[in-house]
Amino acid sequence: MTPPEKEQRARQRRLDPLEELRASTEAWLSQFNIAFALMSIIPLLICCYLITVKFFSLSILAGINGMYFLFAVILALLGLLAGRQVIRTVIRRLLDANERMDRFQTMQSEFVHHVAHEFRSPLAIIKGALDNLRDGLYGTLTSEQVEPLTMSNREVARLRRVVGDLLDIGQIESGKLALHRELLVLQEVLRDVTQACQALSTERGLALELQAPEQPIRVHADRDRLSQVFLNLVTNAIKFTPRGGVQVRLTRNGAATQVEVADSGRGIAREDLGRLFVKFERVGAGDQEGSGLGLAIAKAIVELHDGRIWVESESNRGSHFFVRLPAEG
Amino acid sequence: MGVATGKTVLFADDEESMRKVLERRLTAWGCRPIAATNSLDAVRLARERRPDLILLDDTMPGLTGLAACHQLKLGEDTRHIPVLVLTARDSRTLAAEVRTAGADGFLQKPFEFTELLQLIEGALAQPQPLRS
């Protein structure tokens, strides 16, 4: 494991609320032990004093009703012991329940991971066979045969994306999404992304524009993962914009760099904004295809880069998605 | 006529359908395909037939594709043959394992045939370690 990966794992561990709870409980329990020892020492000393020095002095015993006092001290000690035991048991049970939940979540992510992998091999066969058909390896196709073939190819591509998204979300939830960071020029990443989306925007009759300063803006980031985020934002913008255009704007403000993806689409209702980055929530998707995972994945990737992603939008007034990342140099 | 034309390509996959798909495609590219149903079969056929290139599925029962690749790269009579690994696993975490096993490249399933052809041509064009 390389040092940045180690650092990332360590950060994830620190951020894990369960780990935090477990650590703070352990610390609390040890403090409780010290407090308990301190609290018990005074009655114990009194007991020892009474037993060893004063026990046989009947005048003292009769005077302060020594037997009752001794009884009370023993009861208090037993009460403290029992209380401590109850608290310990309750905390241990809570921790166990949390651990079981944790294990269940890991199992769930592993299951998703396994299932997604199991999908890839049959998908490879279907795709291979369809491509062989399309390329005429089993004979020339009639024009009537081409249409269902194109349809099947499109659906295979869709399945491929869903499997990819499921694997990503599985990795994110199990804390296994590792970044391969390098020094990148953001202009290059955004240029590649807008170029990749050009065909889709032309097909939909939209203008796709990139506005970026000439001075290169550098970030220390994972090229593939960052491209994935911007690709998701731009394709979403195109899909949800019936007319007009999509602008990608890159700006730098001191130590932070900001990418804005703005569209003139139908916008997002105020009450839906909160659900937008939640997995499987397909806000206003209507007939648009998608796994409902893209924005949840984008958010996780941006946050792993110590960045922030948010949206400003109103119904029928377009949407503006922002990604802010720490800039280098 | 591409670099791959006329080359003997040994490929191993435990799925019969995948073998059929690959065989058809390799033939269309002008290669001479040899099919193996598992890794051990692939290692044996590689020693007997000395192909120009080997394609291994990573997840086969018994010996994995990567382990087979490692064996081939250790064998004096097979180490010069370029090996490409096809995998259903996550390619980003696999890169290091592939390098350790000595494979000359890998591709994640499902893939585009254009990507595979590029990889094959690239591997065939690379100078390979001499037979000792």
Side-chain angles (χ1 to χ4, degrees):
Chain A
M1 203 186 290
T2 56
E5 274 173 329
K6 262 188 190 168
E7 194 190 315
Q8 199 182 331
R9 290 266 165 95
R11 200 173 61 230
Q12 270 167 2
R13 258 202 305 278
R14 276 201 300 279
L15 288 177
D16 186 349
L18 263 182
E19 283 294 326
E20 216 167 84
L21 177 70
R22 195 165 297 130
S24 67
T25 311
E26 288 303 324
W28 187 83
L29 269 178
S30 65
Q31 275 171 8
F32 187 90
N33 282 343
I34 296 168
F36 179 75
L38 284 174
M39 277 159 72
S40 358
I41 212 154
I42 299 161
L44 263 174
L45 281 175
I46 297 171
C47 268
C48 291
Y49 176 73
L50 282 171
I51 292 163
T52 55
V53 183
K54 300 286 183 188
F55 194 74
F56 297 106
S57 161
L58 283 172
S59 62
I60 287 274
L61 269 183
I64 61 163
N65 212 347
M67 287 304 280
Y68 284 119
F69 181 74
L70 206 62
F71 189 60
V73 167
I74 292 168
L75 262 185
L77 273 174
L78 285 175
L80 268 173
L81 260 177
R84 179 176 180 269
Q85 216 44 51
V86 168
I87 292 169
R88 279 194 82 129
T89 317
V90 169
I91 289 170
R92 291 251 180 264
R93 280 200 184 154
L94 273 173
L95 281 176
D96 283 353
N98 270 330
E99 217 164 277
R100 274 201 296 275
M101 283 273 290
D102 205 19
R103 268 208 301 273
F104 175 70
Q105 222 166 29
T106 315
M107 258 172 58
Q108 202 185 17
S109 323
E110 276 170 5
F111 174 72
V112 168
H113 203 69
H114 182 75
V115 169
H117 281 151
E118 289 301 308
F119 268 102
R120 274 185 178 156
S121 293
L123 257 178
I125 297 170
I126 299 170
K127 184 171 166 40
L130 287 174
D131 286 351
N132 280 351
L133 254 176
R134 180 198 59 199
D135 297 344
L137 269 57
Y138 304 107
T140 317
L141 294 173
T142 65
S143 54
E144 268 186 342
Q145 289 166 332
V146 171
E147 197 197 335
L149 191 63
T150 314
M151 221 159 61
S152 309
N153 266 324
R154 204 168 45 226
E155 293 311 306
V156 166
R158 181 167 148 191
L159 256 178
R160 233 176 127 175
R161 281 196 298 276
V162 173
V163 168
D165 282 356
L166 277 174
L167 274 167
D168 283 348
I169 211 82
Q171 281 192 332
I172 288 164
E173 292 192 342
S174 57
K176 284 182 187 156
L177 190 94
L179 295 181
H180 303 273
R181 287 188 192 236
E182 55 183 315
L183 205 58
L184 302 175
V185 175
L186 260 182
Q187 279 95 332
E188 285 172 12
V189 176
L190 291 173
R191 209 166 295 136
D192 288 349
V193 168
T194 44
Q195 263 169 20
C197 295
Q198 205 63 59
L200 182 65
S201 73
T202 314
E203 187 188 305
R204 306 245 173 160
L206 301 171
L208 175 60
E209 194 189 346
L210 170 64
Q211 297 168 8
E214 289 216 345
Q215 186 79 14
I217 296 180
R218 292 186 173 84
V219 286
H220 191 233
D222 185 318
R223 183 185 290 273
D224 292 348
R225 291 300 183 187
L226 217 52
S227 300
Q228 186 182 354
V229 170
F230 297 130
L231 211 55
N232 179 278
L233 294 181
V234 176
T235 42
N236 268 354
I238 294 171
K239 279 198 284 188
F240 292 102
T241 305
R243 70 189 72 82
V246 175
Q247 283 94 40
V248 182
R249 288 185 207 106
L250 170 66
T251 48
R252 178 166 181 175
N253 187 7
T257 162
Q258 185 172 293
V259 178
E260 179 188 352
V261 179
D263 65 57
S264 56
R266 52 182 134 147
I268 304 150
R270 195 174 293 269
E271 61 269 24
D272 288 335
L273 285 175
R275 296 190 292 131
L276 210 58
F277 294 98
V278 179
K279 64 175 180 178
F280 298 122
E281 291 280 359
R282 300 185 64 225
V283 175
D287 55 349
Q288 297 292 346
E289 61 166 62
S291 61
L293 291 169
L295 283 175
I297 294 168
K299 184 172 189 283
I301 293 173
V302 171
E303 286 174 357
L304 273 173
H305 281 93
D306 304 311
R308 202 163 81 81
I309 184 169
W310 74 98
V311 61
E312 289 169 11
S313 181
E314 271 179 63
S315 275
N316 301 318
R317 301 188 69 171
S319 303
H320 298 250
F321 280 83
F322 298 90
V323 173
R324 192 170 283 173
L325 295 166
E328 290 284 322
Chain B
M1 294 286 265
V3 186
T5 312
K7 303 282 184 192
T8 310
V9 177
L10 168 66
F11 64 97
D13 201 302
D14 56 319
E15 304 248 20
E16 195 195 346
S17 314
M18 192 66 199
R19 287 199 300 274
K20 280 185 179 167
V21 165
L22 274 176
E23 188 159 15
R24 182 65 71 133
R25 184 53 70 154
L26 288 168
T27 312
W29 283 338
C31 304
R32 285 195 299 269
I34 309 169
T37 53
N38 58 54
S39 294
L40 288 174
D41 207 19
V43 174
R44 183 182 56 80
L45 280 168
R47 283 188 186 134
E48 282 174 19
R49 311 274 292 269
R50 309 280 170 86
D52 296 300
L53 184 124
I54 302 170
L55 286 175
L56 292 173
D57 174 37
D58 173 38
T59 40
M60 286 188 279
L63 196 68
T64 67
L66 279 180
C69 170
H70 196 61
Q71 276 201 13
L72 289 166
K73 290 294 176 184
L74 286 177
E76 279 192 6
D77 45 354
T78 49
R79 71 162 62 135
H80 65 284
I81 308 171
V83 179
L84 302 175
V85 177
L86 304 175
T87 179
R89 288 201 281 155
D90 188 13
S91 59
R92 288 164 63 97
T93 51
L94 200 70
E97 281 180 59
V98 168
R99 267 196 301 275
T100 315
D104 300 80
F106 68 97
L107 205 56
Q108 190 182 60
K109 289 179 174 183
F111 49 81
E112 298 290 339
F113 281 124
T114 46
E115 291 175 284
L116 179 63
L117 185 60
Q118 258 177 20
L119 209 61
I120 289 178
E121 289 182 339
L124 285 172
Q126 290 262 318
Q128 292 297 320
L130 292 173
R131 280 192 237 186
S132 52

